[in-house]
Amino acid sequence: MSAVLLERDDDGIVWFTINRQEKRNAINYEVMDALQETIRLVEENDKVKVLVLTGAGQQAFCSGGDLSEFHRLHTKEEAYQMLSKMGAILYSLLTISKPTVALLNGSAVGGGCELATACDFRYAKTGIKAGFIQGTLGITTGWGGATMLFEKLPYTHALDLLLKARRMPSEQLHEYGWIHSLISENKEIKEECRKLLEPYLAQSAPVLRAYKQAAVQKWKTEEFRGRFFAEIEQCAVLWESDEHEEAVRTFLNRS
Ligand SMILES: CC[C@H](C(=O)O)C(=O)SCCNC(=O)CCNC(=O)[C@H](O)C(C)(C)COP(=O)(O)OP(=O)(O)OC[C@H]1O[C@@H](n2cnc3c(N)ncnc32)[C@H](O)[C@@H]1OP(=O)(O)O
């Protein structure tokens, strides 16, 4: 079964769905490569107006990096290769010249929250939880998530989410301003997402592109990229720690 489902509808929305429910939609290299290709296609195709990322099933949007695959990475150098690959993809998602939405159909943890933060808007089902839980694994965000969070949330809210490293209800994340719209769990989430996007879809693709290009200009600097990839290097350093190795082993060996 394909790790990603991709649909384009007549309204100009591209729906990118991580299709790995058996691993709570964890991100492996196949998902990374599919996301990179989708970002390229969305950027280039003027018929595409909006990119929506979501997860298959009702339980998870994305559980971050695939620990069953990435636990084989041990050294700082090995970790940095994977982290910087996904970091570069999230940087291109952050700076894409089309509006983007993370549609949180279920829980989002770790890199799943970094993926969501790279998007312009986050719409979430009520009753789900999300959290930058990397701290509980003895690491910090490794895909640029902290740098993006400090750009998009008030300082104390961003720092609180990172330091707490805890899953929080979508209702509370809505109060923090990380979630922009809550969708009742009784509603059809993609239909509700489309309704929220209707005012944007009424504009022409060139108008949407022009506003996004203006919006992301501030992140297309060497200074921002330097901070973004320094964060990734920091995660790679912590990746080697005994605390991280032990936390991953505990997760994978839990009965
Ligand atoms: C790579 C770095 C990156 C970064 O920060 O840059 C990161 O994302 S680090 C963080 C990596 N992610 C995690 O540590 C999350 C681990 N998963 C969980 O905490 C839970 O699974 C949760 C909260 C997402 C869902 O809990 P739930 O009770 O609904 O499900 P289970 O825990 O029973 O899991 C079901 C099934 O999925 C497998 N699974 C879940 N998450 C991952 C994952 N990230 N990688 C690989 N596999 C994952 C889990 O092992 C279970 O499989 P099973 O064979 O049934 O035991």
Side-chain angles (χ1 to χ4, degrees):
M1 188 177 359
S2 172
V4 163
L5 303 174
L6 199 59
E7 311 152 66
R8 194 182 103 197
D9 67 21
D10 297 340
D11 298 330
I13 302 175
V14 163
W15 303 87
F16 177 98
T17 303
I18 305 175
N19 187 36
R20 304 188 73 219
Q21 294 185 61
E22 74 286 353
K23 290 188 183 286
R24 296 297 183 268
N25 297 326
I27 292 171
N28 60 4
Y29 289 115
E30 186 182 355
V31 174
M32 290 184 193
D33 292 341
L35 180 56
Q36 184 171 33
E37 178 59 13
T38 301
I39 290 166
R40 186 186 67 77
L41 290 172
V42 166
E43 184 69 76
E44 291 174 3
N45 185 331
D46 276 341
K47 289 191 172 59
V48 175
K49 290 190 173 183
V50 177
L51 170 61
V52 178
L53 308 182
T54 192
Q58 309 291 321
Q59 290 178 290
F61 165 73
C62 176
S63 59
D66 186 332
L67 296 172
S68 65
E69 206 164 310
F70 300 149
H71 78 95
R72 299 188 188 96
L73 307 172
H74 297 290
T75 67
K76 178 175 64 176
E77 292 73 18
E78 289 169 341
Y80 185 77
Q81 265 198 323
M82 176 278 289
L83 294 170
S84 58
K85 174 184 172 70
M86 185 61 178
I89 293 166
L90 290 196
Y91 178 80
S92 59
L93 178 60
L94 174 74
T95 55
I96 194 173
S97 60
K98 301 282 174 72
T100 55
V101 173
L103 182 61
L104 274 58
N105 58 297
S107 57
V109 294
C113 289
E114 297 181 77
L115 173 66
T117 303
C119 293
D120 297 312
F121 302 104
R122 282 159 292 285
Y123 304 157
K125 216 167 62 177
T126 54
I128 66 137
K129 290 189 174 181
F132 293 82
I133 53 106
Q134 288 87 336
T136 62
L137 298 174
I139 57 173
T140 47
T141 47
W143 292 341
T147 303
M148 294 186 283
L149 203 59
F150 284 114
E151 290 291 315
K152 297 189 175 188
L153 254 61
Y155 174 79
T156 49
H157 285 178
L159 190 58
D160 185 58
L161 292 181
L162 295 166
L163 296 179
K164 263 184 186 148
R166 194 187 298 167
R167 288 191 294 156
M168 292 162 65
S170 48
E171 293 78 358
Q172 190 177 357
L173 291 165
H174 186 241
E175 286 167 21
Y176 267 52
W178 188 70
I179 299 289
H180 300 100
S181 291
L182 289 168
I183 296 174
S184 164
E185 51 199 312
N186 307 319
K187 300 259 187 177
E188 207 291 306
I189 192 168
K190 283 180 76 169
E191 207 35 55
E192 293 304 304
C193 178
R194 186 194 306 279
K195 286 179 192 167
L196 287 165
L197 289 173
E198 266 167 17
Y200 304 162
L201 296 169
Q203 315 312 328
S204 71
V207 164
L208 297 174
R209 178 187 290 278
Y211 276 130
K212 267 306 298 278
Q213 284 174 335
V216 304
Q217 203 52 41
K218 63 184 173 179
W219 294 322
K220 292 188 171 182
T221 66
E222 277 318 303
E223 186 277 332
F224 179 81
R225 283 179 60 89
R227 285 190 283 126
F228 190 92
F229 285 95
E231 171 192 336
I232 295 173
E233 283 173 34
Q234 176 57 58
C235 178
V237 169
L238 293 172
W239 191 279
E240 284 186 329
S241 67
D242 294 341
E243 184 189 357
H244 178 241
E245 292 275 349
E246 181 54 33
V248 173
R249 194 173 23 252
T250 302
F251 176 79
L252 293 175
N253 296 336
R254 82 206 186 291
S255 51

